[in-house]
Amino acid sequence: MKAASVAVLFGLGYLGYELNSKNTELQQIATNNTELSTKLTDLEQMNALLKNAKRIQLKGVEKHPDMLAEVYWDDSKKVYLDIKNLPAAPTGKQYQLWAIVEGKPVDMGMYDQQKDTTKMQAMKSVENPQAFAITLEKEGGNPTPTMEEMYVMGTI
């Protein structure tokens, strides 16, 4: 009788271990499912943006001929920046996006290279831009662009 009781206790212990292990597996599957669902939502939003936005290619200027970025400007005047191959900004510096409106530069915000670089970054909204450009500025940006530090530019 004691042997049977001990066997039942070991069996229950093993069953508890297996159930806990299965619970951990189910939690991991649920986490993976949530991550995939989030990625799918992001892709659907990106697809809608790409279908309804004007794509402006920003090509490297004379000093930086191989550099490339893209701006997407949608009907609601929102702007999204997609850096393709600009080098990492040096310490204390940051890339700043500019829109050219009526011949004057308008600050569109700073590119945050700490964010997920696989995603486009939302920038400030703008009406009637004629062009976009990116300059390398002091961290936090400048009220006017440093023209000698322009990397890319593209007209609409």
Side-chain angles (χ1 to χ4, degrees), residues 37-154:
S37 178
T38 300
K39 286 179 181 179
L40 179 60
T41 300
D42 288 348
L43 286 172
E44 288 170 342
Q45 289 173 343
M46 183 75 63
N47 187 43
L49 168 70
L50 294 176
K51 284 185 352 186
N52 298 315
K54 183 173 183 95
R55 179 178 154 249
I56 300 102
Q57 197 170 55
L58 309 183
K59 295 181 181 178
V61 297
E62 189 176 326
K63 285 173 59 176
H64 306 284
D66 297 328
M67 302 296 108
L68 183 65
E70 292 177 342
V71 165
Y72 292 86
W73 180 52
D74 69 15
D75 294 335
S76 66
K77 313 304 179 204
K78 291 181 183 173
V79 175
Y80 299 88
L81 176 61
D82 187 12
I83 297 288
K84 296 296 185 185
N85 71 341
L86 294 181
T91 303
K93 298 276 189 169
Q94 199 173 2
Y95 289 111
Q96 188 166 357
L97 179 65
W98 303 92
I100 310 304
V101 180
E102 296 179 7
K104 295 185 171 115
V106 175
D107 171 34
M108 296 299 298
M110 306 306 294
Y111 175 72
D112 184 357
Q113 64 186 19
Q114 303 304 318
K115 285 188 177 179
D116 183 356
T117 57
T118 63
K119 294 182 179 180
M120 286 189 262
Q121 286 189 27
M123 306 302 280
K124 296 176 183 177
S125 297
V126 66
E127 289 195 38
N128 304 318
Q130 298 155 327
F132 289 95
I134 296 176
T135 59
L136 184 62
E137 304 292 348
K138 67 181 180 188
E139 198 166 326
N142 276 328
T144 58
T146 306
M147 299 307 287
E148 304 79 39
E149 291 292 335
M150 185 181 297
Y151 275 70
V152 293
M153 183 171 184

